[in-house]
């Protein structure tokens, strides 16, 4: 029985925990504790930060392998995992779902940061802001109207904004209706990859442009896989 620590907060992390538990492994998933009512994975769950690299390194002393299945934009956690695993000699696999690729009809502008995304919003635009609660702050001073969608309310909102509290994934029909109802002229999102791409499809269908924030880079030299099956094959 392998003792596995999964750094979680994503759908893949939940799927992985479930498959590991089914296979008889001793799995603990770590959640940051950002959402009040998270979808809980199978196995043990611990919640809250480790207290930086030192705390994580101490926790790695209790396990045989660590899987970083955090969100592609959780760059600090991923960096800490790489450093702590290197320091303790704990095998680390990074599970990173693939990002999205533009297809025919997509009108995407890729930018390197949330700040750059805010600068790319034209004055007077009606924006679906789907960057998550922590991504809203960069847009507070932008001269546009925002439909801010997040799982929980952000600390701040742009001056002209409506808040929709919702947890994806969203059906394509709902995304179509949302863009229509609010007269959305621009979608701003992170290149999260995975199942929340219906908004991009709805935007393509309506000819609505998208500003997509690129992922932060991974630490050099880490072992990266793109799916749960590959993680299980590694184990
Ligand atoms: P982050 O900026 O990379 O991490 C900041 C700090 O939060 C870390 O240094 C760590 O604190 C703690 N932390 C993050 N993930 C943790 C985990 N799985 N278990 C325990 N502690 C964790 O992370 P973030 O962008 O705020 O994301 C927080 C969580 O939300 C992640 O687990 C991620 O998978 C999930 N999430 C993030 C996004 C996003 O867009 N960023 C979207 C969906 C879900 P210590 O230094 O004290 O250990």
């Amino acid at each position: 029985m392998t003792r596995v620590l999964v750094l979680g907060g994503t759908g893949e992390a939940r799927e992985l925990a479930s498959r590991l538990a089914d296979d008889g492994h001793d799995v603990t998933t770590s959640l940051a504790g950002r959402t009040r009512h998270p979808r809980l994975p199978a196995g043990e769950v611990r919640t809250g930060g480790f207290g930086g690299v030192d705390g994580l390194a101490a926790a790695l002393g209790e396990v045989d392998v660590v899987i970083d299945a955090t969100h592609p934009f959780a760059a600090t956690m991923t960096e800490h995992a790489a450093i702590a695993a290197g320091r303790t000699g704990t095998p680390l696999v990074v599970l990173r779902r693939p990002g999205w690729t533009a297809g025919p009809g997509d009108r995407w502008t890729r930018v390197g940061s949330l700040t750059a995304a805010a600068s790319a919003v034209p004055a007077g635009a009606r924006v679906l802001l789907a960057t998550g609660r922590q991504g809203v702050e960069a847009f507070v001073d932008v001269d546009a109207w925002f439909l801010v969608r997040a799982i929980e309310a952000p600390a701040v909102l742009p001056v002209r904004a409506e808040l929709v509290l919702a947890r994806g994934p969203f059906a394509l029909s709902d995304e179509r209706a949302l863009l229509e109802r609010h007269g959305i002229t621009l979608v701003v999102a992170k290149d999260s990859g995975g199942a929340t791409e219906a908004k991009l499809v709805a935007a393509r269908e309506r000819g609505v442009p998208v500003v997509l924030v690129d992922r932060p880079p991974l630490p050099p030299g880490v072992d990266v896989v793109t799916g749960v099956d590959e993680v299980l094959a590694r184990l």
Side-chain angles (χ1 to χ4, degrees):
M1 185 167 75
T2 311
R3 296 168 304 166
V4 186
L5 175 64
V6 177
L7 303 174
T10 58
E12 310 83 276
R14 277 194 306 280
E15 186 192 339
L16 176 62
S18 164
R19 301 266 305 269
L20 289 168
D22 287 349
D23 287 354
H25 295 297
D26 177 359
V27 56
T28 300
T29 299
S30 174
L31 299 176
R34 298 279 191 273
T35 43
R36 258 171 293 169
H37 303 290
R39 288 179 182 153
L40 290 176
E44 296 292 316
V45 177
R46 67 163 299 288
T47 304
F50 293 92
V53 172
D54 290 345
L56 179 57
L60 293 188
E62 310 287 312
V63 299
D64 302 309
V65 57
V66 56
I67 313 294
D68 173 10
T70 56
H71 189 271
F73 282 80
T76 304
M77 191 71 245
T78 293
E79 187 189 347
H80 287 185
I83 298 170
R87 191 188 286 174
T88 56
T90 310
L92 164 69
V93 179
V94 178
L95 169 56
R96 213 37 110 244
R97 61 193 177 210
W100 290 310
T101 307
D106 280 323
R107 298 173 59 200
W108 294 3
T109 302
R110 286 189 171 272
V111 295
S113 66
L114 288 163
T115 311
S119 303
V121 175
R126 293 182 62 83
V127 183
L128 169 60
L129 187 60
T131 51
R133 177 169 51 117
Q134 297 177 83
V136 175
E137 201 174 339
F139 297 84
V140 286
D141 294 326
V142 176
D143 178 19
W145 180 87
F146 291 89
L147 182 65
V148 176
R149 183 166 67 191
I151 296 174
E152 290 180 10
V156 287
L157 280 176
V159 181
R160 291 189 291 131
E162 183 176 326
L163 178 64
V164 182
L165 296 182
R167 195 196 300 254
F170 304 99
L172 179 56
S173 54
D174 292 337
E175 298 295 56
R176 285 180 183 135
L178 191 79
L179 298 195
E180 164 96 41
R181 191 163 60 247
H182 295 280
I184 297 297
T185 62
L186 181 72
V187 173
V188 178
K190 292 172 173 172
D191 184 7
S192 302
T196 53
E197 77 175 316
K199 58 181 174 278
L200 304 177
V201 177
R204 178 194 308 147
E205 289 176 354
R206 294 178 65 80
V208 169
V210 175
V211 172
L212 206 58
V213 182
D214 280 333
R215 298 166 167 209
L218 285 164
V222 290
D223 181 16
V224 188
V225 300
T226 56
V228 169
D229 286 340
E230 287 170 88
V231 176
L232 297 173
R234 285 287 199 286
L235 289 179

